[in-house]
Amino acid sequence: MATYQHLRIDTINQNVVQAQYAVRGAVPLRAIQISEELKAGKQFPFETVVNCNIGNPQALRQRPITFLRQVSALCVCPELLDNADLGFDDCVVERARSFLARNPNGMGAYTHSQGYTSVRNEVADFISARDNFPANSDEIFLTDGASPGVKMVLNILCRDDKSGVMIPMPQYPLYSGSLALLGAHAVSYALCEEEGWSVRVEDLQAAYDDAVAKGIDVRSIAVINPGNPTGGVLTEQAIADILEWAYAKNLVVLADEVYQENIYVDTKRFVSFKKVLRTLESQDKCLGLELASFHSISKGFLGECGLRGGYTELTNFTPEIKDQLYKLASINLCPNTLGQLAVGLMVNPPQGDSPAAKVYRTERDSILDSLKSRAARSEAMFNSIEGVSCQPVEGALYAFPKLTLPSKLIEAAEAVGQAPDLFYCMAMLDAIGVCVVPGSGFNQVEGTWHFRTTILPKGSAFDEYLENVPRFHREFMAKYE
Amino acid sequence: MATYQHLRIDTINQNVVQAQYAVRGAVPLRAIQISEELKAGKQFPFETVVNCNIGNPQALRQRPITFLRQVSALCVCPELLDNADLGFDDCVVERARSFLARNPNGMGAYTHSQGYTSVRNEVADFISARDNFPANSDEIFLTDGASPGVKMVLNILCRDDKSGVMIPMPQYPLYSGSLALLGAHAVSYALCEEEGWSVRVEDLQAAYDDAVAKGIDVRSIAVINPGNPTGGVLTEQAIADILEWAYAKNLVVLADEVYQENIYVDTKRFVSFKKVLRTLESQDKCLGLELASFHSISKGFLGECGLRGGYTELTNFTPEIKDQLYKLASINLCPNTLGQLAVGLMVNPPQGDSPAAKVYRTERDSILDSLKSRAARSEAMFNSIEGVSCQPVEGALYAFPKLTLPSKLIEAAEAVGQAPDLFYCMAMLDAIGVCVVPGSGFNQVEGTWHFRTTILPKGSAFDEYLENVPRFHREFMAKYE
């Protein structure tokens, strides 16, 4: 009998092998290792690893919003509603009672595959009020974070190995990773770094023409606004230009708007792709353009990454295609109920003068003010370093500074088989314990080097970070002069 | 300018179009519609729809386990730990404190992509104790229910349109649906209905030979034990036979063991594929066979379908393949934290004589005893009907009775373009409001007709169900004599 052959890299699905996900790639894996070695007593030039590789606020001491957790606890364990000594504000108790009354199966049953109807109604109301255009709960899919929604829509769009989806460069690796898994092409369009990482129609056209010349069937364009990893925020005009261009090319538009609460400059405000599309349609432009928009509880000021909640809104999709998306959702049964509940609490915050509502607003403002200050201080710190430049951190949770690296350093990196920015980030981790992600993990214009860091360390950890990064940079560069 | 073309069924991913998921298919969709019409005041021959289409216990009044929900509420909202008037048992409070101490980021941060280390340790301890063979937390992936684990492993295995995975007939449509999405072949092996839906090596060999003759690259075999939709339970010998056969064919084995707590007959007990594999290996058989085993919080006696928790255990996978699975898990960031916590509570129940532990055991026994009684009564009811036969409901949450249908009925179904069992199930829904899933949704031997129903209605609803189904059958058959 032949020997049993184990699965090998060359015998499994090559799409999986090709997919990359740098946010949890080589540098973060090394950071996990160092953290374990620190615990085991090994000496490093720092006491703890600061994980700036991922937008994970509560891992960096951001506290959860009280209202959200109190309502959640009551819905998870309704017997608490009968406890007179609970000490929760009436508006918390009322919210939980109302949720359970509208959803008598509670949290433990599978829900509708698109999610609780009551929460989808809350989402539709939120979108209507935000955009001043109607929204319909039938076109909302609740999801376990935004990522499964993106993957679901990409799964519909990518029909064969000719299919391509336009994604920004730099991009969030969910997009390149999911397209690789589907065996489809990521068609990268460059963001204009010098103009605050803006999207320019000429760059879209160039990427599109190049893809078409290669025989790629370009089906869709994904836009991340506010930008990840860039921190840039698009103007209403830029969004309109993208939509009109996409319409002319017959593309489906994916709008990743998970950072819509995270805008830190007074000159910019969030405008949704849906609102701009409906405005254009009211002017007889872009009529019927298919748009999928994504939101999440993981970012904003909630930062509830672990609960996994989000939604996808479909605009102008036909019923037959919605049925196919429903079928995909139903194979996964339903999104997790606590994440669904939390989406409802995100879009329908406590109003008025109740104590809980006041606490809610204080907590919200404190987090957003602090993020605003950290965004400005990060940007200023990077721009104070010789050989580093950083576009304005207008939004999201990241800075994406550009590195000018000496040729000696590039040669040293090549000698160990690493991209120069990976080499730089590994050195930063080893020297000061700060874990960031090299720009090559997000894709970048060839010959440029960047890294992404979050603005999430808090308090004294942030002060130390602001001191340590420039010091590391100076000392590291000195080696390669 | 050309008109904007909407996505159409023929322009999207045809793998999505091909995928089917009957558990939420035509009959359940009609049931949702009827429920809404009932609410709106429309008259039907029944007052409520009884949803027997899906194993969703808490939608049919099964109450959540108190211990699980109390610990969960404390972990979701740790300020409750400071409330002296909470009234929770000490062992509940201790469990929550211990969880939060081991996981200082709490529930709101992304976890390790494989899930909380502390929970994976609990899972490994559970498996070690259950099987009397060691388990390793590095080889455990926590997942949002069992389904994402199955899909993750299938994603690795299916490399091109020649790839095939053997699945039982009848099967749970997660398998056929996921394989369709991956563009791979479902290679159906028939279960032997007359022998309690057993797996026979001769049937495996026949299906395998047939697939190989068609040029299919058979890569893996999935086994569901206890069986869904069949309710059958495999003997240890049957499992050993499957493993030895799979080893000779160089297949990866997928063991879907989500119903491992749901066994209702004294003649059978649950034995895991892992335990049988390790036993065989200790006899120098099947050395190194790759096995992925799946478990879930949705079934058993917890029935926590909505929380979405589960795990995958890998046995004998090489580190390089585990790395690829880790990468897939990391693209999804992490499973939801409440589901992860609940997995830990499932595998590590309260022990000893604390009040909470006693309540836990009482609740558990009450649910399992009731399911046992409902399994026996379901089976007896079906076997009392002329033209219906039902194998023993030894385990899981379902009966899968076989229908002998008159030719007039089959012609009537064909006249409206429906499979005869779909026609039958639609009629049952319209007549008595009981929603079940036709056997064609699970695949069945050609020319045979079945349906799947859960044993989950409770109390008087179950009594009515037992009365109404035979009455419907008699009246419906009378039309086609």
Coordinates of all heavy atoms in Angstrom, one line a residue, chain A residues 4-7 10-11 13 16-17 19 24 56 69-70 76 79 83 85 108 110-111 113 151 155-156 158-159 219 250-251 288 290 299 305-306 327 332-333 337, chain B residues 4-7 10-11 13 16-17 19 24 56 69-70 76 79 83 108 110-111 113 151 155-156 158-159 219 250-251 288 290 299 305-306 316 327 332-333 337:
Chain A
Y4 N 0.7 7.2 3.0 CA -0.3 8.3 3.0 C 0.5 9.6 2.8 O 1.5 9.9 3.4 CB -1.0 8.3 4.4 CG -2.1 9.3 4.5 CD1 -3.4 9.0 4.1 CD2 -1.9 10.6 5.1 CE1 -4.4 9.9 4.3 CE2 -2.9 11.5 5.3 CZ -4.2 11.2 4.8 OH -5.2 12.1 5.0
Q5 N 0.0 10.4 1.8 CA 0.7 11.7 1.5 C -0.1 12.8 2.2 O -1.3 13.0 1.9 CB 0.6 11.9 0.0 CG 1.3 10.9 -0.9 CD 2.8 10.9 -0.7 OE1 3.4 12.0 -0.7 NE2 3.4 9.8 -0.5
H6 N 0.7 13.6 3.0 CA 0.0 14.8 3.6 C -0.2 15.8 2.6 O 0.4 15.9 1.5 CB 0.9 15.3 4.7 CG 0.8 14.5 6.0 ND1 1.6 13.4 6.2 CD2 0.0 14.6 7.0 CE1 1.3 12.9 7.4 NE2 0.3 13.6 7.9
L7 N -1.2 16.7 2.9 CA -1.4 17.9 2.1 C -0.1 18.7 2.1 O 0.6 18.8 3.1 CB -2.5 18.8 2.7 CG -3.9 18.2 2.7 CD1 -4.8 19.1 3.5 CD2 -4.4 18.0 1.3
D10 N 1.9 22.7 -2.4 CA 1.7 22.6 -3.8 C 0.5 21.7 -4.2 O 0.2 21.6 -5.3 CB 3.0 22.1 -4.5 CG 3.4 20.7 -4.1 OD1 3.4 20.5 -2.8 OD2 3.7 19.9 -4.9
T11 N -0.1 21.1 -3.2 CA -1.3 20.2 -3.5 C -2.6 20.9 -3.0 O -3.6 20.3 -3.2 CB -1.1 18.8 -2.9 OG1 -1.1 18.9 -1.5 CG2 0.1 18.1 -3.4
N13 N -5.3 24.3 -2.6 CA -5.8 25.4 -3.4 C -4.8 26.5 -3.5 O -4.4 27.2 -2.5 CB -7.1 25.9 -2.7 CG -7.8 27.0 -3.5 OD1 -7.3 27.5 -4.5 ND2 -9.1 27.2 -3.2
V16 N -5.5 30.1 -2.2 CA -5.3 30.3 -0.8 C -3.8 30.6 -0.6 O -3.4 31.5 0.2 CB -5.7 29.1 0.1 CG1 -5.3 29.2 1.5 CG2 -7.2 28.8 0.0
V17 N -2.9 29.8 -1.2 CA -1.5 30.1 -1.1 C -1.1 31.5 -1.5 O -0.3 32.2 -0.9 CB -0.7 29.0 -1.9 CG1 0.8 29.3 -1.9 CG2 -1.0 27.6 -1.4
A19 N -3.0 34.2 -1.5 CA -3.6 35.3 -0.7 C -2.6 35.7 0.4 O -1.9 34.9 0.9 CB -4.9 34.8 -0.1
R24 N -1.8 40.9 9.7 CA -1.5 39.8 10.7 C -0.3 39.0 10.1 O -0.2 37.8 10.4 CB -2.7 39.0 11.0 CG -3.8 39.8 11.7 CD -4.7 39.0 12.5 NE -5.5 39.8 13.5 CZ -6.2 39.4 14.5 NH1 -6.3 38.1 14.6 NH2 -6.8 40.2 15.3
N56 N -7.4 48.2 16.6 CA -8.0 47.4 17.6 C -8.0 48.2 18.9 O -7.3 47.9 19.8 CB -7.2 46.1 17.7 CG -7.8 45.0 18.5 OD1 -9.0 45.1 18.9 ND2 -7.1 43.9 18.8
R69 N -22.7 48.3 26.4 CA -22.5 47.0 27.1 C -23.6 46.7 28.1 O -23.9 45.6 28.4 CB -21.1 47.1 27.8 CG -19.9 47.2 26.9 CD -19.9 46.0 26.0 NE -18.6 45.9 25.2 CZ -17.6 45.2 25.6 NH1 -17.6 44.6 26.8 NH2 -16.5 45.3 24.9
Q70 N -24.2 47.8 28.7 CA -25.3 47.6 29.6 C -26.5 47.0 28.9 O -27.1 46.0 29.4 CB -25.7 48.9 30.4 CG -24.6 49.3 31.3 CD -25.0 50.6 32.1 OE1 -25.8 51.3 31.7 NE2 -24.3 50.8 33.2
V76 N -28.6 39.7 26.8 CA -27.9 38.3 26.9 C -28.5 37.6 28.1 O -28.7 36.4 28.0 CB -26.4 38.5 27.0 CG1 -25.7 37.2 27.5 CG2 -25.8 38.9 25.7
E79 N -32.9 37.8 32.7 CA -33.3 37.7 34.2 C -32.9 39.0 34.9 O -33.4 39.3 35.9 CB -32.8 36.4 34.8 CG -31.3 36.4 34.9 CD -30.8 35.2 35.7 OE1 -31.0 35.2 37.0 OE2 -30.2 34.3 35.1
N83 N -34.1 42.5 38.3 CA -33.3 42.8 39.4 C -33.5 44.3 39.7 O -33.0 45.2 39.0 CB -31.8 42.5 39.2 CG -31.0 42.7 40.4 OD1 -31.2 43.5 41.2 ND2 -30.0 41.8 40.6
D85 N -32.1 46.1 42.0 CA -30.9 46.7 42.5 C -29.8 46.8 41.4 O -28.6 46.9 41.7 CB -30.4 45.9 43.7 CG -31.4 45.8 44.8 OD1 -32.0 46.8 45.1 OD2 -31.6 44.7 45.3
G108 N -30.6 33.8 21.4 CA -30.1 32.4 21.2 C -30.6 31.7 20.0 O -30.1 30.6 19.8
Y110 N -31.2 31.3 15.8 CA -30.9 31.9 14.5 C -31.9 33.0 14.2 O -33.1 32.8 14.4 CB -31.0 30.8 13.4 CG -30.0 29.7 13.4 CD1 -30.5 28.3 13.4 CD2 -28.6 29.9 13.5 CE1 -29.6 27.3 13.5 CE2 -27.8 28.8 13.5 CZ -28.3 27.5 13.5 OH -27.4 26.4 13.5
T111 N -31.4 34.0 13.6 CA -32.3 35.1 13.1 C -32.5 34.9 11.6 O -31.9 34.0 11.0 CB -31.6 36.5 13.4 OG1 -30.5 36.6 12.5 CG2 -31.2 36.7 14.8
S113 N -31.7 35.4 7.9 CA -30.3 35.4 7.4 C -29.8 36.8 7.2 O -28.5 37.0 7.2 CB -30.2 34.6 6.2 OG -30.5 33.2 6.5
K151 N -16.8 40.4 1.3 CA -16.6 39.1 0.7 C -17.8 38.5 0.0 O -17.7 38.0 -1.1 CB -16.1 38.1 1.7 CG -14.7 38.5 2.3 CD -14.3 37.7 3.5 CE -13.7 36.4 3.0 NZ -13.1 35.6 4.1
N155 N -17.9 37.8 -4.0 CA -18.2 36.5 -4.4 C -19.2 36.4 -5.6 O -19.1 35.6 -6.5 CB -18.7 35.7 -3.2 CG -18.6 34.2 -3.3 OD1 -18.2 33.7 -4.4 ND2 -18.8 33.5 -2.3
I156 N -20.2 37.4 -5.5 CA -21.1 37.5 -6.6 C -20.5 38.0 -7.9 O -20.8 37.6 -9.0 CB -22.3 38.4 -6.2 CG1 -23.1 37.9 -5.1 CG2 -23.1 38.9 -7.3 CD1 -24.3 37.1 -5.6
C158 N -17.2 38.2 -8.9 CA -16.1 37.5 -9.6 C -16.5 36.2 -10.2 O -16.8 35.2 -9.5 CB -14.9 37.3 -8.6 SG -14.3 38.9 -7.9
R159 N -16.6 36.2 -11.5 CA -17.2 35.0 -12.1 C -16.2 34.0 -12.7 O -16.5 32.9 -12.9 CB -18.3 35.4 -13.2 CG -17.9 36.4 -14.1 CD -19.0 36.8 -15.1 NE -19.1 35.8 -16.2 CZ -20.2 35.2 -16.5 NH1 -21.3 35.4 -15.9 NH2 -20.2 34.3 -17.5
R219 N -15.1 44.6 -13.4 CA -16.5 44.5 -13.0 C -16.9 45.5 -11.9 O -18.1 45.7 -11.7 CB -16.8 43.1 -12.5 CG -16.2 42.0 -13.4 CD -17.1 40.8 -13.4 NE -18.3 41.1 -14.0 CZ -19.5 40.5 -13.9 NH1 -19.5 39.4 -13.2 NH2 -20.6 40.9 -14.5
N250 N -19.8 51.1 -16.5 CA -20.7 50.0 -16.1 C -20.2 49.2 -14.9 O -20.3 47.9 -14.9 CB -21.0 49.1 -17.3 CG -22.4 48.5 -17.2 OD1 -23.3 48.9 -17.8 ND2 -22.6 47.5 -16.4
L251 N -19.6 49.8 -14.0 CA -19.0 49.1 -12.8 C -20.0 49.2 -11.6 O -20.8 50.1 -11.5 CB -17.7 49.8 -12.4 CG -16.6 49.9 -13.5 CD1 -15.4 50.5 -12.9 CD2 -16.3 48.5 -14.1
G288 N -29.6 54.2 -11.6 CA -29.5 52.8 -11.4 C -28.2 52.2 -11.1 O -28.0 50.9 -11.0
E290 N -25.3 50.4 -9.5 CA -25.3 49.5 -8.3 C -24.2 49.8 -7.3 O -23.0 49.9 -7.7 CB -25.2 48.0 -8.8 CG -26.5 47.6 -9.5 CD -26.3 46.5 -10.5 OE1 -25.4 46.6 -11.4 OE2 -27.0 45.5 -10.4
K299 N -15.0 50.3 14.4 CA -14.2 51.5 14.3 C -15.0 52.6 15.0 O -15.6 52.4 16.0 CB -13.9 51.8 12.8 CG -13.3 50.6 12.1 CD -12.1 50.0 12.8 CE -11.7 48.6 12.1 NZ -10.5 48.0 12.8
C305 N -14.4 45.8 18.1 CA -13.9 44.8 17.1 C -14.3 43.4 17.4 O -14.6 42.6 16.5 CB -12.4 44.9 17.1 SG -11.7 46.6 16.7
G306 N -14.2 43.0 18.7 CA -14.4 41.6 19.1 C -15.9 41.1 18.9 O -16.1 40.0 18.7
K327 N -29.2 34.0 -0.5 CA -28.8 32.6 -0.5 C -27.4 32.4 0.1 O -27.2 31.6 1.0 CB -28.8 32.0 -1.9 CG -28.6 30.5 -1.9 CD -28.9 30.0 -3.3 CE -27.8 30.5 -4.3 NZ -28.1 30.1 -5.7
N332 N -24.5 30.7 5.5 CA -23.8 31.1 6.8 C -24.8 31.1 8.0 O -24.5 31.5 9.1 CB -23.1 32.4 6.7 CG -21.9 32.3 5.8 OD1 -21.3 31.3 5.6 ND2 -21.7 33.4 5.1
L333 N -26.1 30.8 7.7 CA -27.2 30.8 8.7 C -27.6 32.2 9.1 O -28.6 32.8 8.7 CB -26.8 29.9 9.9 CG -26.7 28.5 9.4 CD1 -26.0 27.6 10.5 CD2 -28.1 27.9 9.1
T337 N -25.7 37.3 17.0 CA -26.8 38.2 17.5 C -26.3 39.4 18.3 O -26.9 40.4 18.3 CB -27.8 37.4 18.4 OG1 -27.1 36.6 19.3 CG2 -28.6 36.4 17.5
Chain B
Y4 N -26.5 51.7 -18.7 CA -25.9 50.9 -17.6 C -26.6 49.6 -17.5 O -27.9 49.5 -17.4 CB -26.1 51.7 -16.3 CG -25.4 51.1 -15.1 CD1 -24.0 51.4 -14.9 CD2 -26.1 50.3 -14.2 CE1 -23.4 50.9 -13.7 CE2 -25.4 49.8 -13.1 CZ -24.1 50.1 -12.9 OH -23.5 49.6 -11.8
Q5 N -25.9 48.5 -17.5 CA -26.4 47.2 -17.4 C -26.4 46.7 -16.0 O -25.3 46.6 -15.5 CB -25.6 46.2 -18.3 CG -25.6 46.6 -19.8 CD -27.0 46.4 -20.5 OE1 -27.6 45.4 -20.2 NE2 -27.4 47.4 -21.3
H6 N -27.5 46.3 -15.5 CA -27.5 45.7 -14.1 C -26.9 44.3 -14.1 O -26.9 43.6 -15.2 CB -28.9 45.7 -13.6 CG -29.4 47.0 -13.1 ND1 -30.0 47.9 -13.9 CD2 -29.3 47.6 -11.8 CE1 -30.2 49.0 -13.2 NE2 -29.8 48.8 -11.9
L7 N -26.4 43.9 -13.0 CA -26.0 42.5 -12.8 C -27.2 41.6 -13.1 O -28.4 42.0 -12.7 CB -25.5 42.3 -11.4 CG -24.3 43.0 -11.0 CD1 -24.0 42.7 -9.5 CD2 -23.0 42.5 -11.8
D10 N -27.2 35.7 -15.2 CA -26.2 35.1 -16.2 C -24.9 35.8 -16.2 O -24.0 35.4 -16.9 CB -26.8 34.9 -17.6 CG -27.2 36.3 -18.2 OD1 -27.8 37.1 -17.5 OD2 -26.9 36.5 -19.3
T11 N -24.8 37.0 -15.5 CA -23.5 37.7 -15.6 C -22.8 37.6 -14.2 O -21.7 38.2 -14.1 CB -23.7 39.2 -16.0 OG1 -24.5 39.8 -15.0 CG2 -24.4 39.3 -17.3
N13 N -21.3 35.3 -10.8 CA -20.6 34.1 -10.5 C -21.5 32.9 -10.6 O -22.4 32.8 -9.8 CB -19.9 34.2 -9.1 CG -19.0 33.0 -8.8 OD1 -19.1 31.9 -9.4 ND2 -18.2 33.2 -7.8
V16 N -22.2 30.7 -7.5 CA -23.2 31.2 -6.6 C -24.6 30.8 -7.1 O -25.4 30.3 -6.3 CB -23.1 32.7 -6.4 CG1 -24.2 33.2 -5.5 CG2 -21.7 33.1 -5.8
V17 N -24.8 30.9 -8.3 CA -26.1 30.6 -8.9 C -26.4 29.1 -8.7 O -27.5 28.7 -8.3 CB -26.2 31.0 -10.4 CG1 -27.5 30.5 -11.0 CG2 -25.9 32.5 -10.6
A19 N -25.3 27.1 -6.3 CA -25.4 26.6 -4.9 C -26.8 26.7 -4.5 O -27.6 27.5 -4.8 CB -24.5 27.6 -4.0
R24 N -33.2 26.9 4.2 CA -33.8 28.2 4.1 C -34.4 28.4 2.7 O -34.4 29.6 2.2 CB -32.9 29.3 4.6 CG -32.5 29.1 6.0 CD -31.9 30.3 6.7 NE -32.0 30.2 8.1 CZ -31.8 31.2 9.0 NH1 -31.6 32.4 8.5 NH2 -31.9 31.0 10.3
N56 N -33.3 24.9 15.5 CA -33.2 26.2 16.1 C -33.9 26.2 17.4 O -35.0 26.8 17.5 CB -33.7 27.3 15.1 CG -33.4 28.7 15.4 OD1 -32.6 29.0 16.3 ND2 -34.0 29.6 14.7
R69 N -25.6 32.1 30.3 CA -26.0 33.5 30.0 C -25.5 34.5 31.2 O -25.2 35.6 30.9 CB -27.5 33.6 29.9 CG -28.0 32.9 28.6 CD -27.4 33.5 27.4 NE -28.0 33.0 26.2 CZ -29.1 33.6 25.5 NH1 -29.5 34.7 26.0 NH2 -29.6 33.0 24.5
Q70 N -25.5 33.9 32.4 CA -25.0 34.8 33.5 C -23.6 35.1 33.4 O -23.2 36.3 33.5 CB -25.3 34.1 34.8 CG -26.8 34.0 35.2 CD -27.1 33.4 36.6 OE1 -26.2 32.6 37.1 NE2 -28.2 33.6 37.1
V76 N -19.6 40.6 29.3 CA -19.9 41.7 28.4 C -20.0 43.0 29.1 O -19.6 44.0 28.6 CB -21.3 41.4 27.7 CG1 -21.9 42.6 27.1 CG2 -21.2 40.2 26.7
E79 N -18.7 45.9 34.8 CA -19.1 46.7 35.9 C -20.1 45.9 36.8 O -20.2 46.2 38.0 CB -19.7 48.0 35.5 CG -21.0 47.9 34.7 CD -21.7 49.2 34.4 OE1 -22.2 49.9 35.3 OE2 -21.7 49.6 33.2
N83 N -21.4 44.8 41.5 CA -22.7 45.0 42.1 C -23.0 43.9 43.1 O -23.1 42.7 42.8 CB -23.8 44.9 41.0 CG -25.1 45.2 41.5 OD1 -25.5 44.9 42.6 ND2 -25.9 45.9 40.6
G108 N -14.1 43.2 23.7 CA -14.3 44.2 22.6 C -13.1 44.3 21.7 O -13.2 45.1 20.7
Y110 N -10.3 42.6 18.9 CA -10.0 41.4 18.1 C -9.1 40.5 19.0 O -8.2 40.9 19.7 CB -9.2 41.8 16.9 CG -9.8 42.7 15.9 CD1 -9.2 43.8 15.5 CD2 -11.0 42.3 15.2 CE1 -9.8 44.6 14.5 CE2 -11.6 43.1 14.3 CZ -11.0 44.3 13.9 OH -11.5 45.0 12.9
T111 N -9.4 39.2 18.9 CA -8.6 38.2 19.6 C -7.6 37.7 18.6 O -7.6 38.0 17.4 CB -9.5 37.1 20.1 OG1 -10.0 36.3 19.0 CG2 -10.6 37.6 21.0
S113 N -6.4 35.2 15.8 CA -7.3 34.8 14.8 C -7.9 33.4 15.0 O -8.9 33.0 14.5 CB -6.6 34.9 13.4 OG -6.3 36.2 13.1
K151 N -16.1 25.4 6.0 CA -15.8 26.1 4.7 C -14.4 26.4 4.6 O -13.8 26.4 3.5 CB -16.7 27.4 4.7 CG -18.1 27.2 4.6 CD -19.0 28.4 4.8 CE -19.1 29.2 3.5 NZ -20.1 30.3 3.5
N155 N -12.1 25.1 1.6 CA -11.4 26.1 0.8 C -9.9 25.7 0.5 O -9.4 25.9 -0.6 CB -11.4 27.4 1.5 CG -11.3 28.6 0.6 OD1 -10.9 28.4 -0.6 ND2 -11.5 29.8 1.1
I156 N -9.3 25.1 1.5 CA -7.9 24.6 1.3 C -7.9 23.4 0.4 O -7.0 23.2 -0.5 CB -7.4 24.1 2.7 CG1 -7.1 25.3 3.6 CG2 -6.1 23.3 2.5 CD1 -5.7 25.9 3.5
C158 N -10.1 22.2 -2.0 CA -10.6 22.2 -3.4 C -9.7 23.1 -4.2 O -9.7 24.4 -4.1 CB -12.1 22.8 -3.4 SG -13.2 21.7 -2.4
R159 N -8.9 22.5 -5.1 CA -7.9 23.3 -5.8 C -8.3 23.7 -7.2 O -7.8 24.6 -7.8 CB -6.6 22.6 -5.8 CG -6.6 21.2 -6.1 CD -5.1 20.6 -6.1 NE -4.4 20.9 -7.2 CZ -3.2 21.4 -7.2 NH1 -2.6 21.6 -6.1 NH2 -2.6 21.7 -8.4
R219 N -10.5 14.2 -2.9 CA -9.5 14.7 -2.0 C -9.9 14.4 -0.5 O -9.0 14.5 0.3 CB -9.4 16.2 -2.2 CG -9.2 16.6 -3.7 CD -8.3 17.7 -3.8 NE -7.0 17.3 -3.4 CZ -6.0 18.1 -3.1 NH1 -6.2 19.4 -3.1 NH2 -4.8 17.6 -2.7
N250 N -6.0 7.8 0.6 CA -5.3 9.1 0.8 C -6.2 10.3 0.9 O -5.9 11.4 0.3 CB -4.2 9.3 -0.3 CG -3.0 10.1 0.2 OD1 -2.0 9.5 0.5 ND2 -3.2 11.4 0.4
L251 N -7.3 10.1 1.6 CA -8.3 11.2 1.8 C -8.1 11.9 3.1 O -7.7 11.3 4.1 CB -9.7 10.7 1.7 CG -10.1 9.9 0.4 CD1 -11.5 9.5 0.5 CD2 -9.8 10.7 -0.8
G288 N -0.9 9.1 10.7 CA -0.8 10.4 10.1 C -2.0 10.9 9.2 O -1.9 11.9 8.6
E290 N -5.0 12.8 8.0 CA -5.4 14.1 8.3 C -6.9 14.2 8.6 O -7.7 13.7 7.8 CB -5.0 15.1 7.2 CG -3.5 15.4 7.2 CD -3.0 15.8 5.8 OE1 -3.3 15.0 4.9 OE2 -2.3 16.8 5.8
K299 N -26.1 23.3 19.0 CA -26.9 22.0 19.1 C -26.7 21.5 20.6 O -26.7 22.3 21.5 CB -26.4 21.0 18.1 CG -26.3 21.6 16.7 CD -27.7 22.2 16.2 CE -27.5 23.0 14.8 NZ -28.7 23.7 14.4
C305 N -27.8 28.9 19.0 CA -27.6 29.1 17.5 C -27.2 30.5 17.2 O -26.4 30.8 16.4 CB -28.9 28.8 16.8 SG -29.4 27.1 17.0
G306 N -27.8 31.5 17.9 CA -27.7 32.9 17.6 C -26.3 33.4 18.0 O -25.8 34.3 17.3
N316 N -3.1 15.8 12.8 CA -2.1 15.4 11.8 C -1.9 16.3 10.6 O -1.3 15.9 9.6 CB -2.4 13.9 11.3 CG -2.3 12.9 12.3 OD1 -1.5 13.0 13.2 ND2 -3.0 11.8 12.2
K327 N -3.9 31.8 8.0 CA -4.0 33.0 7.1 C -5.5 33.2 6.7 O -5.9 34.3 6.8 CB -3.1 32.8 5.9 CG -3.1 34.0 5.0 CD -2.0 33.8 3.9 CE -2.4 32.7 2.9 NZ -1.4 32.5 1.9
N332 N -10.4 36.9 8.1 CA -11.7 37.2 8.8 C -11.5 37.9 10.1 O -12.4 38.0 10.9 CB -12.5 35.9 9.0 CG -12.9 35.3 7.7 OD1 -13.3 36.0 6.7 ND2 -13.0 34.0 7.6
L333 N -10.2 38.2 10.4 CA -9.9 38.9 11.7 C -10.0 37.9 12.9 O -9.0 37.4 13.4 CB -10.6 40.2 11.9 CG -10.3 41.2 10.8 CD1 -11.3 42.3 10.7 CD2 -8.9 41.7 11.0
T337 N -16.5 37.3 19.9 CA -16.0 37.0 21.3 C -17.0 36.3 22.1 O -16.6 35.4 22.9 CB -15.4 38.2 22.0 OG1 -16.4 39.3 21.9 CG2 -14.1 38.7 21.3

